[in-house]
Amino acid sequence: MSIDQLPEIAQAMVAAGKGIIAIDESNATIKKRFDSVGVECTEENRRAYREMLLTTPNLNEYISGAILYDETIRQKTKDGVPFTKIMMDNGILPGIKVDAGTTPLAGFPGEVVTQGLDGLRERLNEYAALGAKFAKWRAVININIEEGMPSDTCIEANVHALARYAALCQEAGIVPMVEPEVIMEGEHDIDDCFVVTEKVLRSLFNALYAQNVMLEGTILKASMVISGKDCDEQASIEDVADYTVQCLKSAVPAAVPGIVFLSGGQSDDDATAHLNEMNKTENLPWPLSFSYGRAMQSAALAIWGKDIVNNVAEAQKTVYARAKANGLAAKGEL
Ligand code: 13P
């Protein structure tokens, strides 16, 4: 794919009433999820679980793409069809997580930077050959106001890496999804979250500009502006929606084809309700949709985990129901 085709792919990712399912958990993270439902974390169980998700009947009514992990993009259904083929045949774009996770930021205790730039050009070319149309890189920003977090250094290091990743993606003909996740854990209030998120997003778009990244072929994956999990005062659905829209309007250029949210540990219902409320706003400059991991999967995982052979159809009904609710929320129609 050439760079000229990236805007079309980006627009398809955020087509009206459609969003992304994030199933790109690393083997360490999916092990934690499997442990929680008592399923052994073998390669075959990971394959079977992802097959259950990806072959959910009619998933493409509400899902435009799925983010895969390195192991998953190479896997096949039990009938021997590559996952990427099943997806493309069903109108679901294959995406790939390409960062290598976080590592402590030297000199800044409590802060992290995402790694994975070394060798990324070669890996992206391989993923493009395997069928990936878009990629994801997640940066992690922790808030601890008393401890001065996030530091400017942490923000700069992370947005620089995000921008270099995005430029490499576009060179390889892959749409970069840039994800600066402001973490919900902490005692901070929603105003603190607003200030930090706005600063991170403004820094990110400066860095993307500096690295010659074409915004029309880039998707932003954002965290919502929300109260810290341990904050005494939890903001209402309406406030989360208002603060988030205001923050995005102040920091995200209208040239960006769309913004999708992560769920970040919100309950399934909250993640859907927040998105629905935001989409009641008139004249938004970009589509606002979802790229949920946990909020798309947790109910289905609980059902599948009880009987991984016989509960496939039952689990898929839940995947479809979550996709439908979030798809309607992406239009403010729930
Ligand atoms: P959650 O929706 O579970 O936060 O996961 C989304 C994701 O892809 C984080 O990188």
Side-chain angles (χ1 to χ4, degrees):
M1 223 167 36
S2 83
I3 195 158
D4 303 340
Q5 294 165 291
L6 298 182
E8 204 179 315
I9 296 285
Q11 285 160 25
M13 290 165 68
V14 289
K18 290 193 184 190
I20 310 274
I21 180 169
I23 60 167
D24 59 325
E25 299 85 359
S26 65
N27 286 353
T29 300
I30 199 73
K31 181 175 186 317
K32 282 189 221 153
R33 307 271 190 267
F34 278 14
D35 285 350
S36 74
V37 294
V39 173
E40 198 187 343
C41 192
T42 61
E43 183 174 350
E44 172 50 24
N45 285 346
R46 293 192 293 269
R47 193 207 59 74
Y49 176 64
R50 268 73 180 247
E51 175 171 351
M52 180 278 288
L53 294 170
L54 292 171
T55 59
T56 295
N58 304 317
L59 192 62
N60 62 357
E61 289 172 15
Y62 303 105
I63 294 292
S64 57
I67 316 173
L68 310 175
Y69 184 58
D70 179 75
E71 175 183 277
T72 322
I73 199 169
R74 303 166 195 281
Q75 285 176 324
K76 299 177 178 164
T77 65
K78 62 180 178 325
D79 298 330
V81 185
F83 282 164
T84 49
K85 176 164 173 24
I86 285 268
M87 293 168 72
M88 288 304 278
D89 288 352
N90 288 330
I92 295 180
L93 297 165
I96 180 75
K97 168 193 172 78
V98 302
D99 67 70
T102 62
T103 189
L105 182 63
F108 292 83
E111 300 198 291
V112 294
V113 64
T114 301
Q115 44 191 357
L117 287 172
D118 287 356
L120 183 57
R121 172 175 277 130
E122 292 72 24
R123 288 196 292 126
L124 284 167
N125 287 334
E126 188 197 1
Y127 289 136
L130 285 168
K133 305 291 181 213
F134 71 99
K136 176 189 114 173
W137 178 290
R138 171 176 176 257
V140 170
I141 307 289
N142 291 310
I143 303 184
N144 185 329
I145 301 298
E146 277 179 15
E147 306 267 335
M149 283 185 227
S151 65
D152 290 350
T153 307
C154 171
I155 294 174
E156 268 168 41
N158 276 293
V159 299
H160 180 78
L162 273 165
R164 287 196 51 209
Y165 139 82
L168 284 163
C169 283
Q170 294 192 334
E171 180 190 87
I174 289 179
V175 170
M177 178 186 266
V178 290
E179 180 184 9
E181 177 172 357
V182 177
I183 298 291
M184 277 172 68
E185 266 71 26
E187 294 176 2
H188 55 275
D189 62 20
I190 189 168
D191 291 297
D192 293 329
C193 185
F194 185 102
V195 171
V196 170
T197 306
E198 185 183 46
K199 184 171 183 177
V200 168
L201 289 174
R202 287 190 177 197
S203 305
L204 172 63
F205 284 97
N206 282 341
L208 293 172
Y209 181 62
Q211 300 288 336
N212 270 344
V213 173
M214 177 181 54
L215 295 186
E216 291 79 358
T218 302
I219 293 289
L220 173 66
K221 177 159 175 168
S223 42
M224 295 182 195
V225 177
I226 198 165
S227 320
K229 270 200 184 136
D230 300 324
C231 180
D232 293 336
E233 204 177 323
Q234 290 292 310
S236 64
I237 301 283
E238 290 76 17
D239 279 349
V240 171
D242 282 354
Y243 276 66
T244 304
V245 167
Q246 203 190 323
C247 184
L248 294 171
K249 277 188 175 173
S250 123
V252 182
V256 171
I259 301 171
V260 293
F261 293 100
L262 57 99
S263 57
Q266 298 179 43
S267 72
D268 296 1
D269 289 344
D270 280 357
T272 306
H274 288 143
L275 180 63
N276 191 55
E277 192 64 30
M278 282 183 232
N279 277 304
K280 290 182 186 165
T281 317
E282 283 178 8
N283 298 323
L284 287 168
W286 356 248
L288 296 182
S289 191
F290 61 95
S291 174
Y292 296 155
R294 283 162 285 181
M296 270 298 302
Q297 295 181 55
S298 49
L301 175 64
I303 295 170
W304 180 80
K306 284 193 188 124
D307 187 338
I308 68 173
V309 176
N310 295 306
N311 278 3
V312 169
E314 206 56 36
Q316 287 177 331
K317 279 187 200 153
T318 311
V319 178
Y320 181 80
R322 294 299 310 142
K324 182 173 181 180
N326 290 318
L328 291 174
K331 294 202 279 187
E333 288 178 1
L334 200 63

